[in-house]
Amino acid sequence: MVAALRRSTDAEIAAIFERLVRDAPDHELCRINAIAFAEKTDLGEERAIAAFLHAARHGFFELSWNVLCPGCGGVLDASATLKTLNQDQYHCGLCAAGYEATLDEVVEVTFTVSPRVRRIRAHDPQLLSIPEYFQQIFWGSGFDLPDDFEAMIDEVTLEIIELPARERAVLSVQLPAEFIILFDPVTHATQFIDVKGEPTRERQTLAMVFMKGAAPNETMTLRPGPLRIALENRTDQRVLPGLWIAADQLHELLGRRRPFLTAKRLLTNQTFRDIYRTDTLAVDQRLKITSLTFLFTDLKASTELYERVGDLVAYDLVKAHFQVVQE
């Protein structure tokens, strides 16, 4: 595979990718941000994107088209192909908002090492710890994770548990006078709790069922004091419900962003168009592009050029022209 990659790109890139898939920690091989990788390795963005596409063609990586929530940075949907993303609007339970699936704003493309090349924990999300799940599965590559993000999550979390498939659990917590979010990153089920008023010693109760496609819940009002939460997981996978305090620390964490490889940029990339000719937008697909620029160029007297210098020389000059345009 490395030898094939050398023939498609060059020895330097092949060596970089060989070291990456051999030596990098697991989390660096899941949903790789090609733009951030280019900056880290000084490859240049276009060169890095082309290299990842060639590496994916040779089986190093698997492409993923991810619909992101522009509010929290979470992945609302993910697919191996663009054509299977066909909703015109996606809803984020955590942000309680709906978004149009625009290719230049909320759809990213990432690269994850193929399990045939190297098995990583993210290939089986059930094995990930709760912080690892947020880092590698819930958040997209446009989310700029701080080095101390586990400590930041602890600061805003009242309680969080792992609830296996088809299991039930009961949580007992002491509610502070804050706005609380009960949220599960697996099903995206959300319940907002506005805690206010006089403190109480009476135990309050709340029940929540986790299932795929659950409708968003209305905000409920509770008083500061004890709360008993009955949780039921009706899915075939574990869920990770937690109580978050919607304070400044949470908004600071969710507001961290960095550039990512957008679907629009990849669709207009010539290497992608050469390799993945069939992976384009379907006629009836509901995804949108809000901004796109077309550049038309013309070689003056090109017909005379071919006649004067011959087809081969003229074609080399035409390719040189396209290289200038690309740069």
Side-chain angles (χ1 to χ4, degrees), residues 128 146 185 189 201 239 245 266 287 327:
L128 296 174
R201 292 184 179 181
V239 294
I245 303 173
L266 195 65
L287 304 178
E327 291 174 357

Side-chain angles (χ1 to χ4, degrees), residues 148-162:
D148 61 343
F149 87 98
E150 291 190 31
M152 294 183 71
I153 289 180
D154 288 339
E155 286 183 14
V156 302
T157 304
L158 278 180
E159 189 68 68
I160 192 167
I161 67 166
E162 295 185 36

Side-chain angles (χ1 to χ4, degrees), residues 12 29 134 299 303 311 314:
E12 178 191 6
L29 296 173
F134 276 100
L299 291 176
T303 302
D311 287 354

Side-chain angles (χ1 to χ4, degrees), residues 53-116:
L53 290 170
H54 283 294
R57 185 186 66 170
H58 291 302
F60 271 94
F61 302 106
E62 296 177 341
L63 272 76
S64 179
W65 304 79
N66 310 321
V67 179
L68 305 179
C69 170
C72 67
V75 175
L76 305 178
D77 193 10
S79 177
T81 64
L82 177 62
K83 289 183 177 179
T84 54
L85 298 177
N86 56 11
Q87 293 180 228
D88 55 357
Q89 191 171 68
Y90 289 83
H91 186 274
C92 177
L94 180 58
C95 297
Y99 303 100
E100 289 186 330
T102 54
L103 294 174
D104 42 357
E105 294 175 351
V106 302
V107 182
E108 70 169 2
V109 181
T110 59
F111 301 85
T112 297
V113 66
S114 169
R116 294 178 301 156

Side-chain angles (χ1 to χ4, degrees), residues 6 9-17 19 41-43 47:
R6 286 197 190 99
T9 55
D10 58 56
E12 178 191 6
I13 290 177
I16 289 174
F17 279 20
R19 290 194 299 270
T41 57
D42 293 325
L43 282 177
R47 189 180 179 203

Side-chain angles (χ1 to χ4, degrees), residues 179-230:
F179 194 87
I180 305 297
I181 303 174
L182 174 55
F183 176 69
D184 167 47
V186 180
T187 62
H188 290 228
T190 310
Q191 174 66 63
F192 299 105
I193 308 171
D194 191 6
V195 185
K196 59 185 179 181
E198 290 295 322
T200 181
R201 292 184 179 181
E202 296 182 5
R203 186 177 298 278
Q204 304 165 102
T205 61
L206 168 64
M208 191 161 185
V209 176
F210 301 99
M211 62 183 75
K212 290 187 176 180
N217 295 308
E218 297 291 332
T219 300
M220 65 184 308
T221 302
L222 296 176
R223 293 163 63 184
L227 173 66
R228 183 179 185 271
I229 310 174

Side-chain angles (χ1 to χ4, degrees), residues 181-285:
I181 303 174
L182 174 55
F183 176 69
D184 167 47
V186 180
T187 62
H188 290 228
T190 310
Q191 174 66 63
F192 299 105
I193 308 171
D194 191 6
V195 185
K196 59 185 179 181
E198 290 295 322
T200 181
R201 292 184 179 181
E202 296 182 5
R203 186 177 298 278
Q204 304 165 102
T205 61
L206 168 64
M208 191 161 185
V209 176
F210 301 99
M211 62 183 75
K212 290 187 176 180
N217 295 308
E218 297 291 332
T219 300
M220 65 184 308
T221 302
L222 296 176
R223 293 163 63 184
L227 173 66
R228 183 179 185 271
I229 310 174
L231 305 171
E232 181 181 355
N233 180 8
R234 293 184 183 174
T235 74
D236 295 324
Q237 55 187 332
R238 69 166 184 176
V239 294
L240 306 171
L243 286 166
W244 291 6
I245 303 173
D248 291 341
Q249 295 96 324
L250 179 60
H251 295 302
E252 178 185 349
L253 177 64
L254 297 181
R256 301 176 65 96
R257 294 291 187 276
R258 63 178 178 175
F260 58 86
L261 177 58
T262 65
K264 183 188 82 169
R265 180 168 183 179
L266 195 65
L267 286 171
T268 57
N269 178 277
Q270 190 59 47
T271 302
F272 176 81
R273 294 165 69 87
D274 291 340
I275 297 177
Y276 298 91
R277 295 181 182 274
T278 61
D279 203 351
T280 57
L281 285 172
V283 173
D284 58 347
Q285 208 159 352

